[in-house]
Structure formats: structure tokens, C-alpha cells
Amino acid sequence: MAKNISMIGFIGGIIVALLVGILPLGDIAPAGQRCLAISLLAVIWWATKVMHPGYTSVILLTLYVLLGVAPSNIVFGLWTTPIIYMIIGAYLIASAVNESGLGKRIAYSYIIKYVNSYRSIIVGMYVLGLLLSFIIPHPWPRSFLIMSVVGIIVKSAKIPVKDAVNIGLAVFAGSVPTSMVLLTGDATVNPVAVEMSGQAVSWLGWLWMMGLPGIAATILTLALQLMLYKPTAEVHVNKEEMRKLLADLGPLTGAEWRCILWIGLAIVLWATDSLHKIHCGWIALVVAMGLALPKVGGVLKPSSWRDVPIETAFFLTAALAIGRVGAVSGMNAWVASVLLPSAAPANAFLFALFVTCIALAIHMCLGSVMAVMGIAIPTLIQFGDSAGMNPLVPSLLVYIAIFIHYILPFHHMNILVGLGEKQGLYTDKDVIRFGVPLTAIVFILPLAVVVPWWKIIGLL
């Protein structure tokens, strides 16, 4: 079945691209028409998994250049910004925290102190995810680190399989809203949402705008999971085994101390970036290099480079390029004029509702958060401009809507990477059962929390 869908997507994408590239589309510029054709080809291939997203991304980028849609410095523009180096630094920092053992020490210590029952385990998965987001700037390594501890809890407490599945789901489902709180909570997506708006936002600036919505999303998601998933048996956490595992780690090692010092420096510099004007990306990269230096670092090894996925970098480059190339070629303006009303609602609540609906509709079809951001954000920024909206407003509204939304695992990579009994223990059915009611939160959050908060702080 999957192979049939891929083949249909492969052929269908080519046919759609040829038709869009040849047929008259009104007043769209020739470069904009070519941009639309190539972008639709990539989007269809991404959605139907014709090949790995990284390969499709390289094809998209290459066609933009070869067909003269935009110059290479715009197409590959992400590589000229600190965003891409923040992503590289984030993966290396995550590798250092895992290699040093610091992450496990924090997880063991938290469980010994705060986890006693099934409910406290579920809550703990969300809290640990948020705490670790300060030192591990990517949700996947955070989640797999927590899962390594969950496996010990499940085994020692003899937790039933059904309850273990719920705990695994809590780890990966919790990584979604907790990643929204900090700019570095998901160094792959959050900075790109800002970059697409064309505005500059500091680390504290993001926390000021998104901290409350992120915490609210975390609480709402946690409450939903506690309401939907009840334990089938009483759970007794074996604290003695946790204490033994913590004791086996011994006192803080030199590598852990060096991790603490370098990451502590990163947090201080991230929090003060509005003062020293050094971008968070350069800070992440410098700290990662510090963790590799002899004597003062020594945590990262040559093999740590394998933890930096080049395919993800090209996928992000392509997702960002759709918006940038669409702007210079005229595609964004044409799409906005054809698909959207002539004027955006002046009422902030109606605008937020409209943007959320559009973003969700696209996300349901495409699945990829980055692909949807690349298509929806530039178009809705153009749309919001008629109502005098700060470009950050539509950009972050799209980000919020699709970042916390999923019904199927492919709708969110944080959920997809945990699928299966060898990862997060849960199945497609478990994700759907949780994702369907979760959609209500996607609408509650912007209307009940985001818009009122942004009005208070003056963003709206």
C-alpha cells in the first residue's frame, strides 16, 4: 500500500508540476509560476513519501537554481544565517549531555524525589521534558534519554503493558508543548518560525511571547492525557533501584562538570543576547566547540558529528526556501490574492481563528510541520499585512497551530520518532485516540491564551 501511494505521488507530483508550469495562471510572474510548480512537486513528494525528505529537498533547491527561479544565495539562504549553525550546535550539545551522563543523573534525581504513583510518572514525563529543554536544545534526544529511564521504571515497578504505553506516549506527546517554551526548546523549528517572519527576536523575547502559551499548552495536553488514560493497576515505583542506579554513576564526573559549565555559559549568553547582540546560533556553535576542546571540554568526540543529521539541514533549507523564493518570485503574493479574502479580519480573535483553520487544513494534508510553515507563513504574512499585523503574529499563529497538532504520527516528527515498541511503546491507534481530542486544544489555546496574552504585552 505504501509503495502504491509513493508511486502515485511520484507520478502525480510530476503531472501537477508540468500542468502548473504550462497552463496560464493569470497575472502571476513567470518566475512565480515556475516556483509554484516546483514547490507543489516537492510538497506532493514530501506528503506521499516518494523518497527521503532530504533527497526531495535537494531536488527542490537545485530546480529553483537551474530553472532561474531565484539566485543561489536566496535559495540556500539558510546557510548564510546563524539558524543552521544553531541547529548543528544543538545536536552536538545534546550529544554531549547524553555522552557525559548528566542527563540521566538529572532524570534519576527527579524520579527519586518526585515520582511515586502512575499520575506522578505521567506528570514527571512532562516536567522532565521541560527541565531538560534548558540543557538539551532538541526534543528527540531529550525524549530518548527519558525513555531510557522509563524502561527501568516499567521493569522494576512491573507496570502493565497498557499503562507502560501511556507513559511512553506521555514522553513524546509531552515533548511537543514543552518544546514551545524556550527558543532553544526545539532549535530545529522555533528559530525558523522567527526567521520566516523576517523579525528579530531575542531568547528572552521568545520566552516573553511564547512562554505562557507554551506552559498553557503543556498543562492542557497533560490534563487531557490524565483524563483519557487511567491506570489499570496501582503503581509502586522502586526508589531503591533508582538510588542504586544514581549511586552507580558516582559523584559528578569531570565531563559532567564541564558540561554544566559550558551549558550554563550558553544559557547565560542566550538570556542576555539582547544586550551583547550575539545570535543564539553562534552561541550554540561556540559552546559545542568548547565541549570538544581538550582539557576544558573533552566531552565531544569525532564520532559526535554523526549525531548531526545533514538530511535534516537540507530539509529545513528547502522549507525556508519555499517562503523566501516565493517572495522574490511573486508566488506568495499571487497565492494570497487567489486563495485568501482581499482583506484580513481586523478582529484579532477572528484573525487567529482564520489562520488556525488554514494552517490545520494544510497540515492535515501535508503532515510536515516545516513544509506547512514554508507554505503557510509567507502567504498569511502577506494576508495579515492588509490588517496591519506585525509579521510575527501570523508566523507564530501558524507555528502554534501546526506544532501542537497531530492526529496521525506523520503529522509531527516528535511523535513519529517514538512510534513502536522499541521506541515509545505506543502505536498509530494510541496516537489517533489522543490526537483527535487534542485538536480542541489547537483552537482553545490561541483564542483563550495566545491572543489575550499578546494583547497584554502589546504584540497585538
Side-chain angles (χ1 to χ4, degrees), residues 79-347:
W79 291 86
T80 66
T81 72
I83 300 297
I84 191 67
Y85 304 103
M86 182 174 183
I87 294 164
I88 293 170
Y91 276 104
L92 290 172
I93 291 171
S95 178
V97 172
N98 284 329
E99 288 291 329
S100 68
L102 179 61
K104 278 193 176 181
R105 187 182 296 275
I106 293 171
Y108 290 151
S109 300
Y110 176 87
I111 289 166
I112 289 169
K113 192 167 185 179
Y114 297 107
V115 173
N116 299 292
S117 62
Y118 170 83
R119 178 182 286 267
S120 65
I121 292 175
I122 299 295
V123 173
M125 299 305 99
Y126 284 76
V127 174
L128 265 177
L130 181 58
L131 291 176
L132 289 172
S133 70
F134 282 86
I135 63 171
I136 303 178
H138 197 283
W140 302 355
R142 291 199 301 267
S143 297
F144 285 118
L145 171 63
I146 296 171
M147 275 306 298
S148 68
V149 180
V150 165
I152 298 168
I153 296 174
V154 169
K155 185 177 179 181
S156 64
K158 298 178 180 177
I159 296 176
V161 173
K162 186 176 180 181
D163 295 339
V165 167
N166 298 340
I167 295 170
L169 182 61
V171 173
F172 291 90
S175 74
V176 175
T178 55
S179 296
M180 296 171 59
V181 177
L182 302 176
L183 179 63
T184 49
D186 188 332
T188 304
V189 180
N190 299 1
V192 175
V194 174
E195 181 74 12
M196 286 182 175
S197 73
Q199 305 297 299
V201 176
S202 67
W203 193 84
L204 285 179
W206 175 279
L207 183 61
W208 181 237
M209 291 185 297
M210 292 298 301
L212 180 63
I215 291 171
T218 300
I219 293 171
L220 289 170
T221 306
L222 172 59
L224 178 65
Q225 183 160 12
L226 289 173
M227 182 176 68
L228 289 179
Y229 299 94
K230 305 295 183 183
T232 59
E234 194 173 347
V235 174
H236 299 283
V237 178
N238 189 339
K239 296 289 188 77
E240 288 307 314
E241 183 168 355
M242 291 290 120
R243 290 190 181 95
K244 183 179 181 303
L245 289 168
L246 184 59
D248 289 344
L249 292 176
L252 279 166
T253 64
E256 287 177 286
W257 276 116
R258 292 191 293 275
C259 262
I260 291 170
L261 291 174
W262 278 107
I263 295 173
L265 175 64
I267 293 171
V268 170
L269 291 175
W270 283 332
T272 56
D273 63 343
S274 60
L275 299 177
H276 53 67
K277 307 301 181 184
I278 301 174
H279 193 281
C280 293
W282 302 129
I283 295 169
L285 197 61
V286 168
V287 166
M289 296 307 101
L291 287 163
L293 290 172
K295 301 294 184 182
V296 295
V299 183
L300 290 174
K301 306 294 188 293
S303 59
S304 300
W305 281 110
R306 297 172 189 163
D307 294 330
V308 181
I310 188 66
E311 67 276 11
T312 298
F314 275 110
F315 178 61
L316 295 175
T317 303
L320 190 62
I322 290 176
R324 287 184 166 185
V325 174
V328 300
S329 66
M331 181 190 76
N332 294 348
W334 182 84
V335 170
S337 67
V338 170
L339 298 182
L340 301 176
S342 57
N347 182 282

Side-chain angles (χ1 to χ4, degrees), residues 18-82:
L18 289 173
L19 289 175
V20 170
I22 294 171
L23 295 175
L25 298 180
D27 58 353
I28 187 172
Q33 187 164 357
R34 291 196 297 275
C35 179
L36 180 62
I38 297 167
S39 301
L40 287 175
L41 172 70
V43 165
I44 292 171
W45 283 7
W46 277 331
T48 56
K49 296 180 174 60
V50 168
M51 61 180 79
H52 188 283
Y55 294 126
T56 300
S57 301
V58 172
I59 291 173
L60 168 79
L61 297 167
T62 305
L63 287 176
Y64 277 158
V65 175
L66 293 181
L67 296 182
V69 179
S72 58
N73 65 314
I74 292 177
V75 175
F76 292 92
L78 181 62
W79 291 86
T80 66
T81 72

